[in-house]
Amino acid sequence: MMNHLRGSTVLIAALPLAFGALGPALAQNGASDASARAEATLRRMRPAEKTVLTHGIMPLPIGENPPPVPAEAIPGAGYVAGIPRLGVPSLRETDASLGVAYVFGLRKDGATALPSGLAMASTWNPDLIEQGGRMIGGEARAKGFNVLLAGGVNLVRDPRNGRNFEYLGEDPLLAGTLVGHAIRGIQSNNIISTIKHFALNGQETGRKFVDARIGEAAARESDLLAFRIGMEIGQPGSVMCAYNRVNGEQACANDWLLNRVLKGSWGYKGFVMSDWGAVPGLDAALKGLDQQSGEQLDPGLFFGDRLAAAARTDPAYATRLDDMNRRVLWAIYANGLDRVPARPGGAIDVAANAAVAQRVAEQGIVLLRNERNALPLAASARRIAVIGGYADTGVLSGAGSSQVQGKDGPALSIPLGGDGPFASFIAQSYHRSVPLKALRALAPQADFHFRDGRYIADAVAQAKAADVAIVFANQWATEGLDQPDLSLPNGQDALIDAVVRANPNTIVVLQTGGPVLMPWLDRTAAVVEAWFPGARGAEAIANVLFGRVNPSGKLPITFPAGTSQLPRPQLDGFDTLEPDFAGGMPRPGMTLQANYAIEGSDLGYRWNARKGHQALFPFGYGLSYTQFGMTGLRVDGMKARFEVANTGQRDGATIAQLYLVERAGKPVRRLVGFQRVQLGRGASQRVDLVIDPRLLADAVSEGWSMPGGRYRFALGNDAEHLGEAITTQLQARRWSDGPLPTSLQ
């Protein structure tokens, strides 16, 4: 959504063609002739070369018989051989939504860790997220990688999903906009980014066989719309399909998802790569899959000799094989991988990149509670107790394939246990950014006392003796495992409850992978949601607590008041399946369904509005050290205008949020526009928004239908606290989905 504050007007362009116009310049990425070059190379390919680009290995020592690793491969997620005779480069792939993945430190290097996806989404700042994408793309390129497995945009359908921390929240407009800008930043480095995991990948329990059941219209209005918006803005070279099933078919062999929607309705020209170990068989090629990734994790190599043999005897496979190559080549040429090759040994400005990570963390921290103006902390506080959360060691990070660490590795790594091939992926790790040290640096006059929180009596004694108690509470999350509930683990709720009873001036700093319940909330002085705050998270937290940064983060996800409010109070399969990082089927023929038709496209705050639930903290919520007002809303067709004013005593930023609250006489609740606005105290700003008509419409027959009638819109501090609604009449419209922007074609 959008770019810079210019003068007194901010324009938010949400129409599909406007999004497309924001793509990388043709001169930058060499995409103007990508299709022609792909065709020319395809014509020159020998039969034996036509399967080279269709499969790749994971160049890591994982598995019983890991494949030989070519000399030019870099330890990372994947390697796909090139065709030197034709000048086609190899694809060297790394996991990287949050930074270049650490892969057990095998490269003997490190990378800058951005905060978690939910922290990035809490900024509501597309420009900053694009800057973060540009940064991690630059680091990847400097290490020799030319493909980033970034762009995670699965919408949060269950707050217990262990992988929520990688994603960008529950709303398709917010998540799609931010992921598009992240991808655009990454690909500005002449490398390919993916968008993933396509689609409806909503839980980790049984992730390789859970069947997401949902109607086509509901999918297009929610999860698929997030992907579509992200692709319009970012124009990724590749789409990564998901592990799960969708309406009975594996996502990586799903004709409806890959052929009908992605390549048919949307006219996508890039290639579909599989997730690692997600290919069920050879016929996935006919169903839209273009590349088999991490082939040693699949039951067999389907896209090598088997694919070549099928193409020799079956015209359908022969035609498909040409198309597979055409798509991979297009992505390579459109992003300039051959013209501007990535080579190991590039320069990395570590300090500048850390500063980007810190800005994201600072803007992503959400102030949830601030009673009696407990924050910012007064310089007069003489004795401060800091309790729990390994705050004397580092800041928490999420685990799995997205794990990033600096050059010296984690400050602390606590294995989950087990001896399987993926045990190292799921250690609880901490970045070398130390909250206690950062707090002391900002309050050298204070007397700090740290207790790790293992013994409640010890923590209580320190809290009683302190002017202020700061409790760090952690909810670790990882790919491959879901949370059983929304509590804080390891007795932390009891610890916090005891501390707040001992000292009413208690501030709780949460480092979580998603929403948590807070049975102790009403007794706290303040609560700060810091998520997994990345490489400079401690400095960001300290700056917010001491007021050097005015918090401006807003929740991109609903914090429910209890699991009874969820569409599925119990996460599907959690009570019947053993924890398994791989998420495979325990026995042949076993089934597991996740019924997403319950909520359909009404995720999170929309579900609450539909059912009349009141959240613990609603989507869009976040406090500030100053106050803002929004007035003068006017809507004219698809354009809205209003004023935002800083009415408090501090400079700060807020997120202007516009919601649809009624459509053709029926109540609804949907975010239709947003803008981050930075204002000095006493200053005001006019904001202009352009509303994407898809947010007002129903998905029908591979297109959209918007009923005519009365539409009502309201400005909101969040999805539950809205201002006075204004009314406008809109005419009925119907239009086709149409192809993705062609600026890369």
Side-chain angles (χ1 to χ4, degrees), residues 91-157:
L91 302 181
R92 300 175 300 280
E93 304 164 331
T94 174
D95 280 296
S97 278
L98 311 179
V100 180
Y102 190 55
V103 291
F104 327 117
L106 290 174
R107 293 189 305 271
K108 309 299 181 185
D109 69 356
T112 304
L114 285 170
S116 65
L118 287 178
M120 289 192 275
S122 296
T123 72
W124 295 55
N125 187 341
D127 283 340
L128 182 59
I129 301 312
E130 184 167 330
Q131 187 178 359
R134 190 176 305 115
M135 181 272 285
I136 64 173
E139 289 198 354
R141 178 181 179 80
K143 296 174 185 296
F145 293 107
N146 56 15
V147 179
L148 263 69
L149 310 179
V153 72
N154 295 103
L155 296 185
V156 174
R157 285 186 174 269

Side-chain angles (χ1 to χ4, degrees), residues 119-334:
M120 289 192 275
S122 296
T123 72
W124 295 55
N125 187 341
D127 283 340
L128 182 59
I129 301 312
E130 184 167 330
Q131 187 178 359
R134 190 176 305 115
M135 181 272 285
I136 64 173
E139 289 198 354
R141 178 181 179 80
K143 296 174 185 296
F145 293 107
N146 56 15
V147 179
L148 263 69
L149 310 179
V153 72
N154 295 103
L155 296 185
V156 174
R157 285 186 174 269
D158 194 300
R160 296 160 295 195
N161 178 5
R163 214 164 180 181
N164 282 338
F165 75 91
E166 294 185 45
Y167 302 139
L168 297 165
E170 67 192 28
D171 181 80
L173 175 62
L174 176 62
T177 300
L178 295 180
V179 82
H181 281 269
I183 291 166
R184 200 165 74 177
I186 290 167
Q187 293 193 160
S188 70
N189 293 280
N190 293 112
I191 61 178
I192 290 171
S193 178
T194 67
I195 190 169
K196 65 182 186 182
H197 305 89
F198 195 69
L200 295 146
N201 184 215
Q203 66 179 58
E204 294 297 279
T205 301
R207 59 177 171 162
K208 284 191 178 176
F209 71 103
V210 62
D211 187 8
R213 311 293 296 195
I214 191 170
E216 180 171 348
R220 286 180 180 266
E221 293 166 11
S222 55
D223 298 71
L224 297 187
L225 182 56
F227 276 91
R228 173 78 198 225
I229 291 172
M231 294 172 76
E232 288 167 353
I233 299 171
Q235 301 174 39
S238 180
V239 172
M240 183 191 292
C241 51
Y243 283 128
N244 55 285
R245 295 174 178 173
V246 177
N247 293 330
E249 298 292 333
Q250 293 292 151
C252 284
N254 193 301
D255 182 73
W256 173 68
L257 271 180
L258 305 184
N259 286 332
R260 280 187 50 201
V261 175
L262 181 65
K263 297 177 179 179
S265 294
W266 298 358
Y268 179 60
K269 293 179 71 71
F271 69 101
V272 179
M273 69 166 66
S274 73
D275 205 338
W276 274 231
V279 184
L282 174 61
D283 69 343
L286 296 181
K287 294 178 179 179
L289 182 64
D290 299 305
Q291 191 178 78
Q292 181 179 9
S293 309
E295 61 197 40
Q296 68 263 42
L297 300 184
D298 285 318
L301 172 53
F302 304 115
F303 284 14
D305 291 344
R306 297 188 203 184
L307 178 58
R312 286 194 296 270
T313 60
D314 187 332
Y317 275 101
T319 299
R320 185 75 256 280
L321 182 56
D322 280 354
D323 185 53
M324 293 159 77
N325 280 285
R326 184 181 295 114
R327 290 174 174 279
V328 178
L329 290 167
W330 179 87
I332 289 171
Y333 296 146

Side-chain angles (χ1 to χ4, degrees), residues 161 203-210 480-482 571-575 577-578 580 583 592:
N161 178 5
Q203 66 179 58
E204 294 297 279
T205 301
R207 59 177 171 162
K208 284 191 178 176
F209 71 103
V210 62
L481 302 173
D482 292 319
L571 193 141
D572 294 300
F574 201 90
D575 59 337
L577 295 173
E578 289 296 302
D580 177 19
L592 175 64

Side-chain angles (χ1 to χ4, degrees), residues 657-689:
Q657 303 168 43
L658 179 66
Y659 291 87
L660 172 69
V661 297
E662 184 180 312
R663 187 187 73 154
K666 295 182 179 180
V668 296
R669 190 71 50 86
R670 182 147 205 180
L671 180 73
V672 296
F674 68 90
Q675 175 64 48
R676 178 182 171 86
V677 182
Q678 181 82 38
L679 292 171
R681 59 179 182 175
S684 63
Q685 175 80 51
R686 195 184 85 185
V687 176
D688 291 283
L689 314 180

